[in-house]
Amino acid sequence: MAEVRDRNLPHQVQVHPQYRFDNTTGGGYGAKNYHSGPSTSQVLAVLTLLPIGGTLLALAGLTLAGTVIGLMLATPLFIIFSPVLVPAAIAIAMAVTGFLSSGAFGLTGLSSLSYVLNRLRYATGTEQLDLDHAKRRVQDMAEYVGQKTKEVGQKIENKAHE
């Protein structure tokens, strides 16, 4: 009985348009010819970037090899001088951490002060005064440039008449 009721209910049909990307005659999606080869600029980009990429890859390999060889040569020295090097490394690490953290705290403090200052300027309405001042300066500069342009034009005209 349930099957009979399911068959009698109207079903909604959804139609989704299908686009063909190999159609080159119309506009829209099919307007571009996808079967053509690479453009001249793409070929030139590959020809210039391929040697550069290969050179950089070779330099990376040489650097890795040099690092491994240097580490192999320096490991015995690290083991011999470890009673001196370990405390020195810890001291240097602590100094670097201190400098970095002080810089981060200073930057955070400056940005928070800047934020508070901007909020106060917005709350008191002084940013509108700053905007008006900037507009006046731009207008004054435009008038100055216009005046200088007129003067230069008059000088050129006077020289042309002479």
Side-chain angles (χ1 to χ4, degrees), residues 111-136:
S111 64
S112 63
L113 286 176
S114 172
Y115 174 77
V116 169
L117 181 64
N118 285 336
R119 293 299 291 173
L120 286 174
R121 291 172 85 195
Y122 179 74
T124 58
T126 56
E127 84 282 347
Q128 186 63 34
L129 296 175
D130 292 340
L131 186 62
D132 292 339
H133 180 69
K135 284 181 183 177
R136 266 187 265 116

mmCIF file with all atom_site columns, all heavy atoms in Angstrom, residues 111-136:
data_model
loop_
_atom_site.group_PDB
_atom_site.id
_atom_site.type_symbol
_atom_site.label_atom_id
_atom_site.label_alt_id
_atom_site.label_comp_id
_atom_site.label_asym_id
_atom_site.label_entity_id
_atom_site.label_seq_id
_atom_site.pdbx_PDB_ins_code
_atom_site.Cartn_x
_atom_site.Cartn_y
_atom_site.Cartn_z
_atom_site.occupancy
_atom_site.B_iso_or_equiv
_atom_site.pdbx_formal_charge
_atom_site.auth_seq_id
_atom_site.auth_comp_id
_atom_site.auth_asym_id
_atom_site.auth_atom_id
_atom_site.pdbx_PDB_model_num
ATOM 1   N N   . SER A 1 111 ? 51.012 49.274 18.937 1.00 0.00 ? 111 SER A N   1
ATOM 2   C CA  . SER A 1 111 ? 49.786 49.075 18.168 1.00 0.00 ? 111 SER A CA  1
ATOM 3   C C   . SER A 1 111 ? 48.557 49.273 19.041 1.00 0.00 ? 111 SER A C   1
ATOM 4   O O   . SER A 1 111 ? 47.549 49.813 18.581 1.00 0.00 ? 111 SER A O   1
ATOM 5   C CB  . SER A 1 111 ? 49.777 47.697 17.521 1.00 0.00 ? 111 SER A CB  1
ATOM 6   O OG  . SER A 1 111 ? 49.767 46.689 18.497 1.00 0.00 ? 111 SER A OG  1
ATOM 7   N N   . SER A 1 112 ? 48.619 48.856 20.316 1.00 0.00 ? 112 SER A N   1
ATOM 8   C CA  . SER A 1 112 ? 47.461 49.067 21.184 1.00 0.00 ? 112 SER A CA  1
ATOM 9   C C   . SER A 1 112 ? 47.274 50.550 21.490 1.00 0.00 ? 112 SER A C   1
ATOM 10  O O   . SER A 1 112 ? 46.144 51.041 21.538 1.00 0.00 ? 112 SER A O   1
ATOM 11  C CB  . SER A 1 112 ? 47.600 48.256 22.473 1.00 0.00 ? 112 SER A CB  1
ATOM 12  O OG  . SER A 1 112 ? 48.716 48.689 23.195 1.00 0.00 ? 112 SER A OG  1
ATOM 13  N N   . LEU A 1 113 ? 48.370 51.283 21.697 1.00 0.00 ? 113 LEU A N   1
ATOM 14  C CA  . LEU A 1 113 ? 48.243 52.733 21.899 1.00 0.00 ? 113 LEU A CA  1
ATOM 15  C C   . LEU A 1 113 ? 47.686 53.423 20.661 1.00 0.00 ? 113 LEU A C   1
ATOM 16  O O   . LEU A 1 113 ? 46.871 54.344 20.762 1.00 0.00 ? 113 LEU A O   1
ATOM 17  C CB  . LEU A 1 113 ? 49.598 53.329 22.275 1.00 0.00 ? 113 LEU A CB  1
ATOM 18  C CG  . LEU A 1 113 ? 50.091 53.056 23.685 1.00 0.00 ? 113 LEU A CG  1
ATOM 19  C CD1 . LEU A 1 113 ? 51.489 53.633 23.868 1.00 0.00 ? 113 LEU A CD1 1
ATOM 20  C CD2 . LEU A 1 113 ? 49.147 53.650 24.703 1.00 0.00 ? 113 LEU A CD2 1
ATOM 21  N N   . SER A 1 114 ? 48.122 52.977 19.495 1.00 0.00 ? 114 SER A N   1
ATOM 22  C CA  . SER A 1 114 ? 47.593 53.542 18.255 1.00 0.00 ? 114 SER A CA  1
ATOM 23  C C   . SER A 1 114 ? 46.103 53.267 18.129 1.00 0.00 ? 114 SER A C   1
ATOM 24  O O   . SER A 1 114 ? 45.333 54.138 17.714 1.00 0.00 ? 114 SER A O   1
ATOM 25  C CB  . SER A 1 114 ? 48.347 52.956 17.067 1.00 0.00 ? 114 SER A CB  1
ATOM 26  O OG  . SER A 1 114 ? 47.751 53.335 15.863 1.00 0.00 ? 114 SER A OG  1
ATOM 27  N N   . TYR A 1 115 ? 45.679 52.052 18.513 1.00 0.00 ? 115 TYR A N   1
ATOM 28  C CA  . TYR A 1 115 ? 44.264 51.698 18.451 1.00 0.00 ? 115 TYR A CA  1
ATOM 29  C C   . TYR A 1 115 ? 43.454 52.576 19.392 1.00 0.00 ? 115 TYR A C   1
ATOM 30  O O   . TYR A 1 115 ? 42.408 53.103 19.021 1.00 0.00 ? 115 TYR A O   1
ATOM 31  C CB  . TYR A 1 115 ? 44.086 50.225 18.802 1.00 0.00 ? 115 TYR A CB  1
ATOM 32  C CG  . TYR A 1 115 ? 42.653 49.798 18.913 1.00 0.00 ? 115 TYR A CG  1
ATOM 33  C CD1 . TYR A 1 115 ? 41.889 49.570 17.777 1.00 0.00 ? 115 TYR A CD1 1
ATOM 34  C CD2 . TYR A 1 115 ? 42.054 49.622 20.149 1.00 0.00 ? 115 TYR A CD2 1
ATOM 35  C CE1 . TYR A 1 115 ? 40.574 49.191 17.872 1.00 0.00 ? 115 TYR A CE1 1
ATOM 36  C CE2 . TYR A 1 115 ? 40.738 49.248 20.250 1.00 0.00 ? 115 TYR A CE2 1
ATOM 37  C CZ  . TYR A 1 115 ? 39.989 49.020 19.114 1.00 0.00 ? 115 TYR A CZ  1
ATOM 38  O OH  . TYR A 1 115 ? 38.694 48.653 19.229 1.00 0.00 ? 115 TYR A OH  1
ATOM 39  N N   . VAL A 1 116 ? 43.948 52.743 20.623 1.00 0.00 ? 116 VAL A N   1
ATOM 40  C CA  . VAL A 1 116 ? 43.234 53.574 21.601 1.00 0.00 ? 116 VAL A CA  1
ATOM 41  C C   . VAL A 1 116 ? 43.164 55.013 21.113 1.00 0.00 ? 116 VAL A C   1
ATOM 42  O O   . VAL A 1 116 ? 42.111 55.672 21.216 1.00 0.00 ? 116 VAL A O   1
ATOM 43  C CB  . VAL A 1 116 ? 43.919 53.477 22.985 1.00 0.00 ? 116 VAL A CB  1
ATOM 44  C CG1 . VAL A 1 116 ? 43.383 54.527 23.937 1.00 0.00 ? 116 VAL A CG1 1
ATOM 45  C CG2 . VAL A 1 116 ? 43.731 52.094 23.551 1.00 0.00 ? 116 VAL A CG2 1
ATOM 46  N N   . LEU A 1 117 ? 44.248 55.535 20.562 1.00 0.00 ? 117 LEU A N   1
ATOM 47  C CA  . LEU A 1 117 ? 44.263 56.900 20.056 1.00 0.00 ? 117 LEU A CA  1
ATOM 48  C C   . LEU A 1 117 ? 43.255 57.070 18.923 1.00 0.00 ? 117 LEU A C   1
ATOM 49  O O   . LEU A 1 117 ? 42.511 58.057 18.889 1.00 0.00 ? 117 LEU A O   1
ATOM 50  C CB  . LEU A 1 117 ? 45.668 57.273 19.584 1.00 0.00 ? 117 LEU A CB  1
ATOM 51  C CG  . LEU A 1 117 ? 45.839 58.692 19.053 1.00 0.00 ? 117 LEU A CG  1
ATOM 52  C CD1 . LEU A 1 117 ? 45.591 59.713 20.144 1.00 0.00 ? 117 LEU A CD1 1
ATOM 53  C CD2 . LEU A 1 117 ? 47.200 58.874 18.450 1.00 0.00 ? 117 LEU A CD2 1
ATOM 54  N N   . ASN A 1 118 ? 43.201 56.118 18.014 1.00 0.00 ? 118 ASN A N   1
ATOM 55  C CA  . ASN A 1 118 ? 42.234 56.200 16.922 1.00 0.00 ? 118 ASN A CA  1
ATOM 56  C C   . ASN A 1 118 ? 40.811 56.125 17.438 1.00 0.00 ? 118 ASN A C   1
ATOM 57  O O   . ASN A 1 118 ? 39.924 56.812 16.917 1.00 0.00 ? 118 ASN A O   1
ATOM 58  C CB  . ASN A 1 118 ? 42.494 55.090 15.900 1.00 0.00 ? 118 ASN A CB  1
ATOM 59  C CG  . ASN A 1 118 ? 43.691 55.380 15.044 1.00 0.00 ? 118 ASN A CG  1
ATOM 60  O OD1 . ASN A 1 118 ? 44.086 56.533 14.875 1.00 0.00 ? 118 ASN A OD1 1
ATOM 61  N ND2 . ASN A 1 118 ? 44.304 54.341 14.512 1.00 0.00 ? 118 ASN A ND2 1
ATOM 62  N N   . ARG A 1 119 ? 40.561 55.297 18.447 1.00 0.00 ? 119 ARG A N   1
ATOM 63  C CA  . ARG A 1 119 ? 39.207 55.211 19.013 1.00 0.00 ? 119 ARG A CA  1
ATOM 64  C C   . ARG A 1 119 ? 38.836 56.532 19.684 1.00 0.00 ? 119 ARG A C   1
ATOM 65  O O   . ARG A 1 119 ? 37.702 56.985 19.589 1.00 0.00 ? 119 ARG A O   1
ATOM 66  C CB  . ARG A 1 119 ? 39.122 54.060 20.011 1.00 0.00 ? 119 ARG A CB  1
ATOM 67  C CG  . ARG A 1 119 ? 39.263 52.685 19.400 1.00 0.00 ? 119 ARG A CG  1
ATOM 68  C CD  . ARG A 1 119 ? 38.190 52.387 18.401 1.00 0.00 ? 119 ARG A CD  1
ATOM 69  N NE  . ARG A 1 119 ? 36.908 52.241 19.062 1.00 0.00 ? 119 ARG A NE  1
ATOM 70  C CZ  . ARG A 1 119 ? 35.760 52.109 18.430 1.00 0.00 ? 119 ARG A CZ  1
ATOM 71  N NH1 . ARG A 1 119 ? 35.726 52.083 17.131 1.00 0.00 ? 119 ARG A NH1 1
ATOM 72  N NH2 . ARG A 1 119 ? 34.646 52.002 19.097 1.00 0.00 ? 119 ARG A NH2 1
ATOM 73  N N   . LEU A 1 120 ? 39.791 57.150 20.403 1.00 0.00 ? 120 LEU A N   1
ATOM 74  C CA  . LEU A 1 120 ? 39.508 58.436 21.030 1.00 0.00 ? 120 LEU A CA  1
ATOM 75  C C   . LEU A 1 120 ? 39.248 59.522 19.988 1.00 0.00 ? 120 LEU A C   1
ATOM 76  O O   . LEU A 1 120 ? 38.351 60.353 20.152 1.00 0.00 ? 120 LEU A O   1
ATOM 77  C CB  . LEU A 1 120 ? 40.662 58.846 21.941 1.00 0.00 ? 120 LEU A CB  1
ATOM 78  C CG  . LEU A 1 120 ? 40.787 58.085 23.259 1.00 0.00 ? 120 LEU A CG  1
ATOM 79  C CD1 . LEU A 1 120 ? 42.051 58.503 23.985 1.00 0.00 ? 120 LEU A CD1 1
ATOM 80  C CD2 . LEU A 1 120 ? 39.568 58.331 24.126 1.00 0.00 ? 120 LEU A CD2 1
ATOM 81  N N   . ARG A 1 121 ? 40.026 59.509 18.919 1.00 0.00 ? 121 ARG A N   1
ATOM 82  C CA  . ARG A 1 121 ? 39.812 60.501 17.858 1.00 0.00 ? 121 ARG A CA  1
ATOM 83  C C   . ARG A 1 121 ? 38.447 60.318 17.229 1.00 0.00 ? 121 ARG A C   1
ATOM 84  O O   . ARG A 1 121 ? 37.758 61.277 16.908 1.00 0.00 ? 121 ARG A O   1
ATOM 85  C CB  . ARG A 1 121 ? 40.903 60.376 16.796 1.00 0.00 ? 121 ARG A CB  1
ATOM 86  C CG  . ARG A 1 121 ? 42.256 60.811 17.295 1.00 0.00 ? 121 ARG A CG  1
ATOM 87  C CD  . ARG A 1 121 ? 43.324 60.507 16.309 1.00 0.00 ? 121 ARG A CD  1
ATOM 88  N NE  . ARG A 1 121 ? 43.427 61.562 15.337 1.00 0.00 ? 121 ARG A NE  1
ATOM 89  C CZ  . ARG A 1 121 ? 44.071 61.465 14.189 1.00 0.00 ? 121 ARG A CZ  1
ATOM 90  N NH1 . ARG A 1 121 ? 44.667 60.339 13.881 1.00 0.00 ? 121 ARG A NH1 1
ATOM 91  N NH2 . ARG A 1 121 ? 44.129 62.472 13.369 1.00 0.00 ? 121 ARG A NH2 1
ATOM 92  N N   . TYR A 1 122 ? 38.037 59.065 17.066 1.00 0.00 ? 122 TYR A N   1
ATOM 93  C CA  . TYR A 1 122 ? 36.731 58.789 16.483 1.00 0.00 ? 122 TYR A CA  1
ATOM 94  C C   . TYR A 1 122 ? 35.619 59.218 17.435 1.00 0.00 ? 122 TYR A C   1
ATOM 95  O O   . TYR A 1 122 ? 34.606 59.763 17.015 1.00 0.00 ? 122 TYR A O   1
ATOM 96  C CB  . TYR A 1 122 ? 36.609 57.297 16.165 1.00 0.00 ? 122 TYR A CB  1
ATOM 97  C CG  . TYR A 1 122 ? 35.281 56.918 15.589 1.00 0.00 ? 122 TYR A CG  1
ATOM 98  C CD1 . TYR A 1 122 ? 34.952 57.254 14.280 1.00 0.00 ? 122 TYR A CD1 1
ATOM 99  C CD2 . TYR A 1 122 ? 34.352 56.217 16.341 1.00 0.00 ? 122 TYR A CD2 1
ATOM 100 C CE1 . TYR A 1 122 ? 33.733 56.911 13.750 1.00 0.00 ? 122 TYR A CE1 1
ATOM 101 C CE2 . TYR A 1 122 ? 33.123 55.875 15.819 1.00 0.00 ? 122 TYR A CE2 1
ATOM 102 C CZ  . TYR A 1 122 ? 32.809 56.222 14.520 1.00 0.00 ? 122 TYR A CZ  1
ATOM 103 O OH  . TYR A 1 122 ? 31.597 55.881 14.004 1.00 0.00 ? 122 TYR A OH  1
ATOM 104 N N   . ALA A 1 123 ? 35.806 58.968 18.746 1.00 0.00 ? 123 ALA A N   1
ATOM 105 C CA  . ALA A 1 123 ? 34.782 59.310 19.728 1.00 0.00 ? 123 ALA A CA  1
ATOM 106 C C   . ALA A 1 123 ? 34.637 60.815 19.886 1.00 0.00 ? 123 ALA A C   1
ATOM 107 O O   . ALA A 1 123 ? 33.528 61.326 20.094 1.00 0.00 ? 123 ALA A O   1
ATOM 108 C CB  . ALA A 1 123 ? 35.115 58.670 21.078 1.00 0.00 ? 123 ALA A CB  1
ATOM 109 N N   . THR A 1 124 ? 35.732 61.572 19.801 1.00 0.00 ? 124 THR A N   1
ATOM 110 C CA  . THR A 1 124 ? 35.659 63.021 19.984 1.00 0.00 ? 124 THR A CA  1
ATOM 111 C C   . THR A 1 124 ? 35.378 63.771 18.693 1.00 0.00 ? 124 THR A C   1
ATOM 112 O O   . THR A 1 124 ? 35.097 64.955 18.716 1.00 0.00 ? 124 THR A O   1
ATOM 113 C CB  . THR A 1 124 ? 36.968 63.553 20.589 1.00 0.00 ? 124 THR A CB  1
ATOM 114 O OG1 . THR A 1 124 ? 38.051 63.203 19.727 1.00 0.00 ? 124 THR A OG1 1
ATOM 115 C CG2 . THR A 1 124 ? 37.197 62.963 21.969 1.00 0.00 ? 124 THR A CG2 1
ATOM 116 N N   . GLY A 1 125 ? 35.467 63.093 17.566 1.00 0.00 ? 125 GLY A N   1
ATOM 117 C CA  . GLY A 1 125 ? 35.160 63.750 16.301 1.00 0.00 ? 125 GLY A CA  1
ATOM 118 C C   . GLY A 1 125 ? 36.317 64.515 15.701 1.00 0.00 ? 125 GLY A C   1
ATOM 119 O O   . GLY A 1 125 ? 36.126 65.291 14.777 1.00 0.00 ? 125 GLY A O   1
ATOM 120 N N   . THR A 1 126 ? 37.537 64.339 16.219 1.00 0.00 ? 126 THR A N   1
ATOM 121 C CA  . THR A 1 126 ? 38.661 65.097 15.680 1.00 0.00 ? 126 THR A CA  1
ATOM 122 C C   . THR A 1 126 ? 39.150 64.535 14.365 1.00 0.00 ? 126 THR A C   1
ATOM 123 O O   . THR A 1 126 ? 39.884 65.206 13.653 1.00 0.00 ? 126 THR A O   1
ATOM 124 C CB  . THR A 1 126 ? 39.832 65.130 16.678 1.00 0.00 ? 126 THR A CB  1
ATOM 125 O OG1 . THR A 1 126 ? 40.184 63.792 17.004 1.00 0.00 ? 126 THR A OG1 1
ATOM 126 C CG2 . THR A 1 126 ? 39.462 65.897 17.922 1.00 0.00 ? 126 THR A CG2 1
ATOM 127 N N   . GLU A 1 127 ? 38.735 63.298 14.016 1.00 0.00 ? 127 GLU A N   1
ATOM 128 C CA  . GLU A 1 127 ? 39.178 62.770 12.726 1.00 0.00 ? 127 GLU A CA  1
ATOM 129 C C   . GLU A 1 127 ? 38.546 63.554 11.583 1.00 0.00 ? 127 GLU A C   1
ATOM 130 O O   . GLU A 1 127 ? 39.113 63.674 10.514 1.00 0.00 ? 127 GLU A O   1
ATOM 131 C CB  . GLU A 1 127 ? 38.880 61.269 12.606 1.00 0.00 ? 127 GLU A CB  1
ATOM 132 C CG  . GLU A 1 127 ? 37.483 60.912 12.160 1.00 0.00 ? 127 GLU A CG  1
ATOM 133 C CD  . GLU A 1 127 ? 36.441 61.024 13.270 1.00 0.00 ? 127 GLU A CD  1
ATOM 134 O OE1 . GLU A 1 127 ? 36.817 61.147 14.431 1.00 0.00 ? 127 GLU A OE1 1
ATOM 135 O OE2 . GLU A 1 127 ? 35.249 61.000 12.958 1.00 0.00 ? 127 GLU A OE2 1
ATOM 136 N N   . GLN A 1 128 ? 37.363 64.128 11.820 1.00 0.00 ? 128 GLN A N   1
ATOM 137 C CA  . GLN A 1 128 ? 36.736 64.957 10.797 1.00 0.00 ? 128 GLN A CA  1
ATOM 138 C C   . GLN A 1 128 ? 37.545 66.234 10.599 1.00 0.00 ? 128 GLN A C   1
ATOM 139 O O   . GLN A 1 128 ? 37.710 66.706 9.482  1.00 0.00 ? 128 GLN A O   1
ATOM 140 C CB  . GLN A 1 128 ? 35.289 65.286 11.191 1.00 0.00 ? 128 GLN A CB  1
ATOM 141 C CG  . GLN A 1 128 ? 34.516 66.014 10.131 1.00 0.00 ? 128 GLN A CG  1
ATOM 142 C CD  . GLN A 1 128 ? 34.343 65.197 8.854  1.00 0.00 ? 128 GLN A CD  1
ATOM 143 O OE1 . GLN A 1 128 ? 34.225 63.989 8.901  1.00 0.00 ? 128 GLN A OE1 1
ATOM 144 N NE2 . GLN A 1 128 ? 34.360 65.860 7.731  1.00 0.00 ? 128 GLN A NE2 1
ATOM 145 N N   . LEU A 1 129 ? 38.082 66.779 11.695 1.00 0.00 ? 129 LEU A N   1
ATOM 146 C CA  . LEU A 1 129 ? 38.929 67.962 11.577 1.00 0.00 ? 129 LEU A CA  1
ATOM 147 C C   . LEU A 1 129 ? 40.190 67.642 10.798 1.00 0.00 ? 129 LEU A C   1
ATOM 148 O O   . LEU A 1 129 ? 40.641 68.440 9.963  1.00 0.00 ? 129 LEU A O   1
ATOM 149 C CB  . LEU A 1 129 ? 39.281 68.501 12.963 1.00 0.00 ? 129 LEU A CB  1
ATOM 150 C CG  . LEU A 1 129 ? 38.112 69.015 13.810 1.00 0.00 ? 129 LEU A CG  1
ATOM 151 C CD1 . LEU A 1 129 ? 38.599 69.400 15.198 1.00 0.00 ? 129 LEU A CD1 1
ATOM 152 C CD2 . LEU A 1 129 ? 37.427 70.182 13.126 1.00 0.00 ? 129 LEU A CD2 1
ATOM 153 N N   . ASP A 1 130 ? 40.782 66.485 11.061 1.00 0.00 ? 130 ASP A N   1
ATOM 154 C CA  . ASP A 1 130 ? 41.969 66.073 10.322 1.00 0.00 ? 130 ASP A CA  1
ATOM 155 C C   . ASP A 1 130 ? 41.647 65.897 8.841  1.00 0.00 ? 130 ASP A C   1
ATOM 156 O O   . ASP A 1 130 ? 42.437 66.265 7.977  1.00 0.00 ? 130 ASP A O   1
ATOM 157 C CB  . ASP A 1 130 ? 42.523 64.765 10.895 1.00 0.00 ? 130 ASP A CB  1
ATOM 158 C CG  . ASP A 1 130 ? 43.084 64.939 12.292 1.00 0.00 ? 130 ASP A CG  1
ATOM 159 O OD1 . ASP A 1 130 ? 43.392 66.088 12.662 1.00 0.00 ? 130 ASP A OD1 1
ATOM 160 O OD2 . ASP A 1 130 ? 43.204 63.923 12.995 1.00 0.00 ? 130 ASP A OD2 1
ATOM 161 N N   . LEU A 1 131 ? 40.488 65.342 8.535  1.00 0.00 ? 131 LEU A N   1
ATOM 162 C CA  . LEU A 1 131 ? 40.084 65.148 7.151  1.00 0.00 ? 131 LEU A CA  1
ATOM 163 C C   . LEU A 1 131 ? 39.868 66.492 6.463  1.00 0.00 ? 131 LEU A C   1
ATOM 164 O O   . LEU A 1 131 ? 40.290 66.684 5.324  1.00 0.00 ? 131 LEU A O   1
ATOM 165 C CB  . LEU A 1 131 ? 38.806 64.297 7.099  1.00 0.00 ? 131 LEU A CB  1
ATOM 166 C CG  . LEU A 1 131 ? 38.309 63.881 5.731  1.00 0.00 ? 131 LEU A CG  1
ATOM 167 C CD1 . LEU A 1 131 ? 39.349 63.011 5.035  1.00 0.00 ? 131 LEU A CD1 1
ATOM 168 C CD2 . LEU A 1 131 ? 37.004 63.135 5.857  1.00 0.00 ? 131 LEU A CD2 1
ATOM 169 N N   . ASP A 1 132 ? 39.223 67.421 7.173  1.00 0.00 ? 132 ASP A N   1
ATOM 170 C CA  . ASP A 1 132 ? 39.032 68.757 6.599  1.00 0.00 ? 132 ASP A CA  1
ATOM 171 C C   . ASP A 1 132 ? 40.370 69.451 6.361  1.00 0.00 ? 132 ASP A C   1
ATOM 172 O O   . ASP A 1 132 ? 40.561 70.115 5.336  1.00 0.00 ? 132 ASP A O   1
ATOM 173 C CB  . ASP A 1 132 ? 38.153 69.612 7.526  1.00 0.00 ? 132 ASP A CB  1
ATOM 174 C CG  . ASP A 1 132 ? 36.715 69.119 7.596  1.00 0.00 ? 132 ASP A CG  1
ATOM 175 O OD1 . ASP A 1 132 ? 36.290 68.404 6.661  1.00 0.00 ? 132 ASP A OD1 1
ATOM 176 O OD2 . ASP A 1 132 ? 36.029 69.440 8.590  1.00 0.00 ? 132 ASP A OD2 1
ATOM 177 N N   . HIS A 1 133 ? 41.297 69.305 7.295  1.00 0.00 ? 133 HIS A N   1
ATOM 178 C CA  . HIS A 1 133 ? 42.624 69.906 7.134  1.00 0.00 ? 133 HIS A CA  1
ATOM 179 C C   . HIS A 1 133 ? 43.336 69.316 5.921  1.00 0.00 ? 133 HIS A C   1
ATOM 180 O O   . HIS A 1 133 ? 43.957 70.041 5.136  1.00 0.00 ? 133 HIS A O   1
ATOM 181 C CB  . HIS A 1 133 ? 43.443 69.677 8.408  1.00 0.00 ? 133 HIS A CB  1
ATOM 182 C CG  . HIS A 1 133 ? 44.814 70.253 8.353  1.00 0.00 ? 133 HIS A CG  1
ATOM 183 N ND1 . HIS A 1 133 ? 45.055 71.607 8.342  1.00 0.00 ? 133 HIS A ND1 1
ATOM 184 C CD2 . HIS A 1 133 ? 46.039 69.651 8.283  1.00 0.00 ? 133 HIS A CD2 1
ATOM 185 C CE1 . HIS A 1 133 ? 46.355 71.821 8.273  1.00 0.00 ? 133 HIS A CE1 1
ATOM 186 N NE2 . HIS A 1 133 ? 46.971 70.641 8.241  1.00 0.00 ? 133 HIS A NE2 1
ATOM 187 N N   . ALA A 1 134 ? 43.242 68.002 5.761  1.00 0.00 ? 134 ALA A N   1
ATOM 188 C CA  . ALA A 1 134 ? 43.876 67.357 4.610  1.00 0.00 ? 134 ALA A CA  1
ATOM 189 C C   . ALA A 1 134 ? 43.230 67.827 3.306  1.00 0.00 ? 134 ALA A C   1
ATOM 190 O O   . ALA A 1 134 ? 43.925 68.079 2.314  1.00 0.00 ? 134 ALA A O   1
ATOM 191 C CB  . ALA A 1 134 ? 43.769 65.843 4.736  1.00 0.00 ? 134 ALA A CB  1
ATOM 192 N N   . LYS A 1 135 ? 41.919 67.979 3.288  1.00 0.00 ? 135 LYS A N   1
ATOM 193 C CA  . LYS A 1 135 ? 41.236 68.471 2.083  1.00 0.00 ? 135 LYS A CA  1
ATOM 194 C C   . LYS A 1 135 ? 41.698 69.880 1.741  1.00 0.00 ? 135 LYS A C   1
ATOM 195 O O   . LYS A 1 135 ? 41.928 70.210 0.579  1.00 0.00 ? 135 LYS A O   1
ATOM 196 C CB  . LYS A 1 135 ? 39.717 68.464 2.290  1.00 0.00 ? 135 LYS A CB  1
ATOM 197 C CG  . LYS A 1 135 ? 39.088 67.101 2.206  1.00 0.00 ? 135 LYS A CG  1
ATOM 198 C CD  . LYS A 1 135 ? 37.586 67.206 2.403  1.00 0.00 ? 135 LYS A CD  1
ATOM 199 C CE  . LYS A 1 135 ? 36.929 65.858 2.392  1.00 0.00 ? 135 LYS A CE  1
ATOM 200 N NZ  . LYS A 1 135 ? 35.489 65.948 2.661  1.00 0.00 ? 135 LYS A NZ  1
ATOM 201 N N   . ARG A 1 136 ? 41.821 70.730 2.781  1.00 0.00 ? 136 ARG A N   1
ATOM 202 C CA  . ARG A 1 136 ? 42.287 72.095 2.530  1.00 0.00 ? 136 ARG A CA  1
ATOM 203 C C   . ARG A 1 136 ? 43.706 72.110 1.971  1.00 0.00 ? 136 ARG A C   1
ATOM 204 O O   . ARG A 1 136 ? 44.016 72.881 1.062  1.00 0.00 ? 136 ARG A O   1
ATOM 205 C CB  . ARG A 1 136 ? 42.233 72.911 3.830  1.00 0.00 ? 136 ARG A CB  1
ATOM 206 C CG  . ARG A 1 136 ? 40.933 73.691 3.964  1.00 0.00 ? 136 ARG A CG  1
ATOM 207 C CD  . ARG A 1 136 ? 40.951 74.630 5.159  1.00 0.00 ? 136 ARG A CD  1
ATOM 208 N NE  . ARG A 1 136 ? 40.311 73.919 6.268  1.00 0.00 ? 136 ARG A NE  1
ATOM 209 C CZ  . ARG A 1 136 ? 40.911 73.562 7.385  1.00 0.00 ? 136 ARG A CZ  1
ATOM 210 N NH1 . ARG A 1 136 ? 42.169 73.884 7.600  1.00 0.00 ? 136 ARG A NH1 1
ATOM 211 N NH2 . ARG A 1 136 ? 40.283 72.902 8.327  1.00 0.00 ? 136 ARG A NH2 1
#
